[in-house]
Amino acid sequence: MDRFLIHGGVPLRGEVTISGAKNAVLPIMAAALLTEEPCVIRRVPDLSDVRFMGRILESLGASVTFEAGTLTIQARQIQGYGDYDLIRKMRGSICIMGPLLGRLHEAKVALPGGCAIGVRPIDLHLKGFRALGVNLDIAGGYVHATAARLAGTELFLGGRAGPTVLGTANLMMAATLADGITVIDSAACEPEVVDLADFLISMGAKISGAGSPRITVTGVKTLHGADHEVIPDRIEAATFAIAAVATNGEVTLQGARADHMQAVIDKLREAGALLERKGPALIARRGPSLRPVDVTTQPYAGFPTDVQAQIMVLMTIAPGTSIITERIFESRFMHAAELARLGADIAIEGPSAIVKGVPSLSGAEMMAGDLRASAALVIAGLAASGSTEILRVYHIDRGYENIDLKLRQLGARFERLKANPNAPENTGGE
Ligand code: EPU
């Protein structure tokens, strides 16, 4: 497996172009299963998760081509059974279930197990499908879903930790081809849900309310092909903004959607960062001093769980004590123990991390445990003095396009040490 070698302490400076959003493109790719006509998806990041999803769609019978950031998917003739090994490996693949049920009234997928960030159940997805009239047969680690017809209904999708992002996506996709009207209450409001709704609308779906907690879908008979550009990745933009502040540099995030990042921008300003909108770009740098801030992760428009690890790194070097509380996933603090190797002072108390700022971090070897934790370790390595080595970097390739190139363009001394080409690579993801 590849490793990263970082010689830290260099302020990041310059311009970086934000790629398309991974968490928008995955459900949009699945949505292409809803029509037999070709769908063109633009500004697609070249990520292992995207290629993995492409292989899953191919295993269902779709044709998938990916060239220069543009995906063309045509699901002329598909089946409800894919390559189980592939489906089991990537949690995001659960969102093929909604479109398969909408189009074929049948889907068989592997039940996703837990992953590095927690248990991650799919009970809310299943509850929603049942309400649409789907029979679910769960056996041997698979769920086999069948329906004579999908019947529009009223659904409540709120769970213990609030709404579910992929659950909302799944139910919204299934409902586009259901009979009658489906109202989804406690729907996720994330920009990725809105982007999916925009894509579905351009395919001929009738959807209103996406971006609010109540989404209404009026079923139509068929959907057609569409051409869509994916929104920029707000999590990638937040990651680079924090890296700029943590290294005391200045980075212009070209194409960052500040309107999707208000909670992060607000917290970073409270922490002493300067963030300035300039046309279609956002400029991030540190102000005169860093300050500790308390952060609690929440569903959108609150502070995203996908940026919790990265802001924790910043707090490790902010003088004073900050409390970071994770409310979405129950075990998403694995990076804390790794950061301790660089000299960070972090104590975990239930869902909270108590971070006491230290004057500086110093490089060491660390192991990445999940995608966003890996991003956090990279930021820590960039901010630390001396050299840092990060193992298991395949996680980061799932969600950050050309991370090495982008960081080097910003002046980072950052190298990828290639693995033995014969060693097995893990490509599955959360
Ligand atoms: N939940 C349930 N039951 C369900 C579904 C979810 O209890 O049926 C719980 C989860 O356990 C969690 C909470 O609801 O406590 C929210 O989970 P959600 O379903 O919203 O997560 P997801 O849709 O599976 C997506 C992103 C994650 C991101 C979360 C939260 C994709 C492919 N994944 O996951 O992204 O953290 O929303 O915003 O869109 C990442 O990119 O690193 C990543 C993990």
Side-chain angles (χ1 to χ4, degrees):
M1 286 178 226
D2 293 359
R3 289 169 295 147
F4 288 149
L5 180 62
I6 307 170
H7 296 285
V10 181
L12 297 188
R13 288 192 191 286
E15 214 175 275
V16 65
T17 299
I18 301 307
S19 299
K22 166 182 88 80
N23 289 347
V25 81
L26 295 176
I28 286 174
M29 290 173 76
L33 295 171
L34 284 161
T35 175
E36 56 185 41
E37 293 183 16
C39 293
V40 178
I41 311 167
R42 300 179 196 275
R43 189 161 44 205
V44 176
D46 191 353
L47 301 171
S48 60
D49 268 13
V50 167
R51 294 196 174 265
F52 213 73
M53 186 64 144
R55 283 166 61 197
I56 290 172
L57 300 187
E58 282 172 344
S59 82
L60 295 165
S63 80
V64 179
T65 59
F66 187 22
E67 253 182 66
T70 299
L71 265 172
T72 306
I73 301 174
Q74 184 163 17
R76 200 191 308 261
Q77 264 205 327
I78 51 164
Q79 57 190 17
Y81 302 70
D83 181 322
Y84 296 134
D85 263 355
L86 288 177
I87 294 171
R88 204 179 42 223
K89 274 190 183 158
M90 190 170 84
R91 215 204 115 82
S93 67
I94 189 67
C95 62
I96 61 175
M97 213 173 154
L100 288 175
L101 279 167
R103 172 107 175 254
L104 306 174
H105 297 177
E106 177 168 27
K108 188 171 175 188
V109 299
L111 281 168
C115 67
I117 62 177
V119 179
R120 305 197 69 183
I122 57 160
D123 57 311
L124 297 170
H125 301 234
L126 300 183
K127 172 182 157 190
F129 289 134
R130 274 198 195 97
L132 284 178
V134 174
N135 298 310
L136 299 171
D137 182 15
I138 298 173
Y142 292 97
V143 50
H144 187 192
T146 49
R149 62 185 274 270
L150 298 185
T153 186
E154 287 174 6
L155 300 173
F156 179 77
L157 276 193
R160 178 190 55 79
T164 159
V165 177
L166 289 176
T168 302
N170 241 338
L171 271 302
M172 189 165 72
M173 290 190 278
T176 57
L177 294 178
D179 296 335
I181 297 175
T182 301
V183 178
I184 306 174
D185 266 312
S186 194
C189 302
E190 269 68 4
E192 294 75 18
V193 171
V194 178
D195 204 31
L196 171 64
D198 287 343
F199 178 61
L200 293 167
I201 291 166
S202 67
M203 294 172 80
K206 294 208 167 96
I207 300 173
S208 62
S212 81
R214 172 173 289 182
I215 298 178
T216 304
V217 185
T218 304
V220 296
K221 288 273 169 265
T222 55
L223 295 175
H224 51 74
D227 191 321
H228 181 82
E229 187 174 80
V230 174
I231 53 169
D233 196 316
R234 64 194 169 99
I235 308 298
E236 188 201 21
T239 302
F240 276 104
I242 293 174
V245 179
T247 60
N248 207 0
E250 175 170 334
V251 174
T252 300
L253 311 158
Q254 276 305 343
R257 286 280 301 261
D259 56 327
H260 292 166
M261 298 169 61
Q262 288 304 329
V264 172
I265 292 174
D266 188 62
K267 266 301 157 199
L268 287 178
R269 283 186 177 144
E270 202 184 317
L274 301 174
L275 285 118
E276 193 191 322
R277 280 170 92 147
K278 200 169 175 200
L282 183 65
I283 303 171
R285 65 194 155 94
R286 193 188 291 186
S289 62
L290 285 179
R291 291 185 288 269
V293 289
D294 292 343
V295 177
T296 300
T297 63
Q298 289 173 332
Y300 191 79
F303 194 93
T305 173
D306 290 343
V307 187
Q308 178 257 108
Q310 299 90 315
I311 196 143
M312 189 184 292
V313 174
L314 190 62
M315 290 303 99
T316 65
I317 50 170
T321 302
S322 55
I323 298 177
I324 299 182
T325 304
E326 173 56 59
R327 291 269 178 235
I328 307 296
F329 293 112
E330 72 276 19
S331 57
R332 210 176 193 183
F333 280 144
M334 286 191 339
H335 42 281
E338 297 301 307
L339 293 173
R341 295 172 191 264
L342 302 195
D345 181 347
I346 305 170
I348 305 296
E349 298 270 358
S352 297
I354 297 147
V355 186
K356 292 191 182 135
V358 294
S360 63
L361 300 175
S362 74
E365 187 178 284
M366 294 187 287
M367 179 107 76
D370 76 271
L371 167 59
R372 307 304 171 186
S374 314
L377 302 190
V378 167
I379 298 173
L382 294 168
S385 59
S387 57
T388 288
E389 206 170 309
I390 303 179
L391 312 179
R392 297 213 184 147
V393 303
Y394 59 81
H395 289 293
I396 213 160
D397 294 328
R398 294 184 30 232
Y400 290 87
E401 186 179 40
N402 291 332
I403 180 93
D404 348 9
L405 196 72
K406 286 185 176 184
L407 285 173
R408 279 199 297 271
Q409 277 170 354
L410 294 174
R413 286 185 290 165
F414 187 93
E415 273 176 76
R416 179 184 294 255
L417 306 176
K418 281 295 201 192
N420 169 358
N422 300 319
E425 193 77 352
N426 187 339
T427 42
E430 282 96 23

